[in-house]
Amino acid sequence: MSKIPTVDGIPIPNINLTGTPAQTPQPTEEDKKPLETAKDAVGSPPSRTWLKISANWWRSLQYIGMSLHFLANPKPPSPAFTHTIPSTISDKKGNLTLHFYTPEGYDKRKKTNQLFPAVINFHGGGFTIGAPTDDARFARFVLEECKAVYVSVEYRLSPEYPFPVAVQDGADALLYLIRHGPELYIDPHKLATSGFSAGGNIAITSTICLSEHLKTLSAPVPPHNIRAIATWYPICDYTESREVKRARCVRPDQTLPANLTSLFDASYLYPSGVSLASPILSPTKASDTLLKEAIPETVIFYTCEWDMLQYEGEELAKRLGRAPINKTVKHKMIPGVPHAWDKSPDPTKPAAGSEELYKECCVYLKEVFKGN
C-alpha cells in the first residue's frame, strides 16, 4: 500500500524543510470550537490573484502525476465523446463539459434501442485542481462490471469559481442527463453518482442540491431514479477545523499538509460570510429529513484509515444507515492507506488494492441497477 498521501497523482509527503515528518500541533481550545463561516476556517486569505497563481502551479504538477498514473497496465479507457452544456442552476453562468465513456455494445444502440445505466462521476482535487479523466481507472470497472455509461463531469474549479458553483454544476449535470438521457441511450431510471475526495463530496451534495432545485421549478422534470451514491474518502464537515481533523487521525504524519489544504479552503470557501453548515457544503449538517428525502436509497462509502477525513466520513455513513434515515449503506474503512492512495503516480502498476476495491464497488452498483 502507498505510504504517501496523494492528490490527483501528486505525492504530498507531510514533511518539514529538514525532510523529517512534520509535527502535528495539538489543537487549541479555539481550534476545537465549531467553525461557522468561511472566515473562521480561512482567516485572512491571500489575494484571489495569488490563489489563482498557486492553483495553476499545482495543476501543472497534477498533470505530470496523472500522466505517470496512467502509464501502468492495464491502461485506462478514454472518453468516447463529450458534450458541453450551459449551467442553469448557478448564478455564475457558464458552461460545463460532460465526458462520456461508453461500454461494449453502446455503438450498436441504434439497432437495439437499448438504454444503459449511467454513473456520473466527479473528480477530486480540493475543488481547485483535477481533471475529468483522473478517475479513468475506476471508469474501466464501471464499463466492464456495470455495463454502464460513465459520465465524468468537468465542473468549474475554484478559486475562479468558489462554492457553491462546483456543487451546482454537479446538480446541473444530473438534471441534463435526466432530461436528455434517452437521447444519449441512458436510462434516467438507472442513475448513480460517484466521486473521489472533493468529488466524493459532490457525489453526495449534488443530489441534495438537485432535490432542492427541483422544488423551485414550475414544470416537472421527466421521471427518473438516482439509485445510488458511491463516494470515496469525501470531505463531509467543514465546521470542524483542519487542526482537529489532523490531530484525531491515527497517522497525522500521513495527512495532507497544511499549505495544500489551506490553498484548497481559501480557494473554495469564499466570500468570508459563506456558512460552513450549508448542507451542500457540509452534508453532515443536513437535517435527517433532508438526507432521507434527497439521498438515494443505496450509499457505498469508502474511507481511508490514515486520512484526516476518515472519522467524519465514517460518522456520516453510520448516520445514513440508522433510523430515521434508513438508507442501505455499505461502508468500508480501507486499512493502512492515506488519502487518495489509489491515485499513486507509479508508472509500473496500479496502486495496491485499488482495482479490487473498484471492482467491489462496481459489483454493488451492478446489483443496484438490476430491475426496473
Side-chain angles (χ1 to χ4, degrees):
M1 293 289 188
S2 171
K3 302 302 182 184
I4 299 177
T6 304
V7 177
D8 289 293
I10 312 171
I12 313 290
N14 195 351
I15 59 176
N16 57 31
L17 294 178
T18 67
T20 57
Q23 297 300 309
T24 301
Q26 291 301 305
T28 65
E29 290 304 313
E30 191 67 23
D31 292 331
K32 294 177 183 178
K33 294 180 180 179
L35 307 179
E36 295 182 358
T37 67
K39 185 177 181 179
D40 296 332
V42 176
S44 299
S47 71
R48 304 306 287 177
T49 299
W50 175 249
L51 289 173
K52 291 175 185 177
I53 293 170
S54 298
N56 284 326
W57 185 77
W58 282 102
R59 289 165 187 166
S60 65
L61 290 181
Q62 181 264 344
Y63 177 82
I64 296 170
M66 292 308 297
S67 296
L68 293 173
H69 175 74
F70 289 144
L71 289 176
N73 288 318
K75 297 292 193 295
S78 297
F81 61 93
T82 63
H83 275 198
T84 297
I85 64 173
S87 63
T88 65
I89 298 175
S90 174
D91 292 335
K92 303 288 186 182
K93 297 307 177 186
N95 296 316
L96 56 146
T97 300
L98 309 181
H99 297 245
F100 291 80
Y101 297 68
T102 57
E104 184 178 357
Y106 185 85
D107 292 338
K108 301 176 182 177
R109 64 197 183 280
K110 291 181 180 178
K111 296 179 180 178
T112 63
N113 288 320
Q114 179 183 359
L115 296 183
F116 293 81
V119 176
I120 300 91
N121 187 75
F122 306 96
H123 67 80
F127 304 96
T128 305
I129 64 175
T133 54
D134 287 352
D135 304 317
R137 291 197 177 278
F138 177 64
R140 179 168 71 86
F141 287 89
V142 172
L143 303 183
E144 294 177 0
E145 295 294 328
C146 301
K147 311 300 182 187
V149 176
Y150 177 90
V151 185
S152 189
V153 181
E154 189 174 355
Y155 58 88
R156 290 173 289 174
L157 299 175
S158 61
E160 294 85 351
Y161 296 96
F163 173 81
V165 173
V167 179
Q168 293 168 331
D169 283 356
D172 249 327
L174 296 175
L175 185 58
Y176 179 83
L177 293 170
I178 289 167
R179 286 175 166 158
H180 300 281
E183 301 165 25
L184 298 162
Y185 295 89
I186 288 172
D187 187 345
H189 295 278
K190 295 183 179 181
L191 304 178
T193 66
S194 66
F196 295 74
S197 191
N201 173 286
I202 301 174
I204 300 168
T205 55
S206 62
T207 66
I208 299 173
C209 182
L210 177 64
S211 176
E212 294 300 283
H213 178 69
L214 293 181
K215 297 173 185 177
T216 70
L217 300 180
S218 56
V221 299
H224 62 280
N225 187 359
I226 303 174
R227 298 191 177 197
I229 293 170
T231 182
W232 298 76
Y233 41 84
I235 184 165
C236 301
D237 186 4
Y238 275 97
T239 69
E240 185 176 66
S241 72
R242 294 282 188 174
E243 291 78 11
V244 169
K245 294 176 195 284
R246 282 193 183 88
R248 189 169 60 171
C249 182
V250 297
R251 287 291 302 273
D253 61 303
Q254 293 292 319
T255 61
L256 297 178
N259 64 331
L260 188 61
T261 56
S262 295
L263 168 66
F264 291 164
D265 293 349
S267 296
Y268 191 54
L269 306 178
Y270 180 82
S272 60
V274 165
S275 172
L276 301 185
S278 166
I280 62 169
L281 178 64
S282 299
T284 58
K285 298 304 172 183
S287 68
D288 288 346
T289 300
L290 180 56
L291 291 175
K292 186 176 181 65
E293 175 184 80
I295 297 295
E297 286 306 306
T298 298
V299 182
I300 306 161
F301 218 121
Y302 291 93
T303 56
C304 301
E305 184 183 18
W306 295 352
D307 186 2
M308 72 169 80
L309 308 179
Q310 142 62 20
Y311 286 100
E312 65 198 75
E314 182 176 66
E315 288 169 2
L316 179 58
K318 289 179 178 178
R319 180 182 167 203
L320 292 174
R322 292 194 302 259
I325 302 174
N326 293 324
K327 303 297 180 180
T328 298
V329 177
K330 298 180 183 296
H331 169 246
K332 176 174 283 188
M333 188 270 289
I334 308 162
V337 298
H339 186 83
W341 99 103
D342 56 316
K343 300 301 188 291
S344 167
D346 186 342
T348 65
K349 61 182 182 301
S354 60
E355 302 224 320
E356 292 83 356
L357 289 168
Y358 289 169
K359 182 173 182 177
E360 175 186 273
C361 178
C362 289
V363 168
Y364 292 149
L365 288 172
K366 182 179 179 180
E367 286 299 312
V368 169
F369 287 141
K370 286 182 177 178
N372 296 323

